[in-house]
Amino acid sequence: MKLRCAVIEDFQSVATTVVDWSPVTDDVEIVTFTEHLATVDEAATALDGFDIVVTLRERVPFPAELFARLPRLRLLVASGMRNSVIDFDAARRHGVEVCGTASSSTPPVELTWALLLGLARGIVPEATALRTGGPWQSTLGADLHGRTLGLLGLGKIGARVARVGLAFGMDVVAWSRNLTKERTDEVGATLAASKEELLAGSDFVSVHLALGERTRGLIGAAELARMRPTAYLINTSRAAIVDTDALLAALDAGTIAGAATDVFDVEPLPADDPVRSTPRLLATPHLGYVSRANYETYYGQAVEDIRAFLDGQPVRRLG
């Protein structure tokens, strides 16, 4: 009898077409789920009777309660090699192997610049006006050349964002608690003396920090008030780094010129969430990692993980 594998959060219905699953289909039946599993109850009901689950990023938490309600589960494959919503201790207690995949930093870098440019040149309102018979030119674009790009975080993604900014002729400054001048010199950026200095002096501020106790709520009302009224904030990292209520209030009040976000406190975003109607906010549905090449990696290596597990030699173990 074949094992059963659930591939969840397949919103675009592409998981079984972007890569070849034939290395495992003789042994495994693949079932895809295109709707979000929003609660433990929904996940437990949908995944009951499955031996393997392939989950996408950190969309669906796997707490101890869920592992307890999935007695057949033996392998959980998560895209990426870092996951904050899986209870690894519970997985071990229930005899569940957890494996990961590689994940490229290129797609979030590219999306960061798509959002920044979209904000700077009013792409969405201008394109909408063009299609709906609205005014011919209603915005005044913000220049990039000669302006200051402030980066909160200069890791793998932040450094690549910085290099694009330099190519545009921007002055790039960066700050994080442990950032050194040696690192900023290596990238070609300037080390800001403080978070406050960076916020006050930047025309565009982009967030590229990991979420943790020291970064949760890092940007709140006081920090937004330090920004220039002509400045823009872009967050493609984690929603909880920026206080959403404070950001929406700042946008409503015109404290900053605009913001863009790809990440939200609750995902998918509820239909009545004020984020959907806040002015001067460009929002995308967590597309940072969503690209063909990344999906080919996620699902291609998921197939490898399943094959290795079936052969008794698990690879890319997590936790």
Side-chain angles (χ1 to χ4, degrees), residues 113 116 143-151 165-166 168-174 190 192 197-206 227-228 230-232 234:
W113 279 102
L116 192 154
D143 296 283
L144 271 60
H145 184 86
R147 300 304 192 267
T148 298
L149 171 63
L151 299 176
L166 293 169
F168 272 114
M170 303 182 79
D171 296 320
V172 180
V173 299
T190 299
E197 179 185 90
L198 181 144
L199 292 169
S202 298
D203 299 290
F204 298 87
V205 175
S206 192
M227 294 178 63
R228 299 171 177 176
T230 55
Y232 298 88
I234 301 94

Side-chain angles (χ1 to χ4, degrees), residues 55-59 78-86 88 98-103 105 155-157 208-212 237-238 298 316-319:
T55 185
L56 187 63
R57 301 301 296 146
E58 296 170 321
R59 295 288 197 190
S79 54
M81 291 300 292
R82 185 171 59 184
N83 195 298
S84 64
V85 300
I86 296 173
F88 293 104
V98 184
C99 299
T101 74
S103 184
S105 63
K156 185 185 299 183
I157 293 175
H208 301 287
L209 295 165
L211 179 61
S237 184
R238 289 292 184 270
Y298 289 165
R316 290 186 284 267
R317 287 171 157 168
L318 300 182

Side-chain angles (χ1 to χ4, degrees), residues 256-275:
I256 60 175
T261 185
D262 186 50
V263 288
F264 309 94
D265 295 317
V266 177
E267 297 185 10
L269 194 66
D272 60 350
D273 195 290
V275 165

Side-chain angles (χ1 to χ4, degrees), residues 10-30:
D10 183 19
F11 298 133
Q12 298 92 354
S13 299
V14 296
T16 57
T17 60
V18 294
V19 300
D20 178 16
W21 288 75
S22 64
V24 299
T25 50
D26 284 346
D27 303 296
V28 179
E29 174 194 0
I30 310 298

Side-chain angles (χ1 to χ4, degrees), residues 130-176:
L130 183 69
R131 287 181 173 271
T132 60
W136 184 264
Q137 298 183 0
S138 62
T139 63
L140 187 62
D143 296 283
L144 271 60
H145 184 86
R147 300 304 192 267
T148 298
L149 171 63
L151 299 176
L152 293 171
L154 200 63
K156 185 185 299 183
I157 293 175
R160 296 182 69 174
V161 170
R163 293 184 178 106
V164 177
L166 293 169
F168 272 114
M170 303 182 79
D171 296 320
V172 180
V173 299
W175 176 89
S176 67

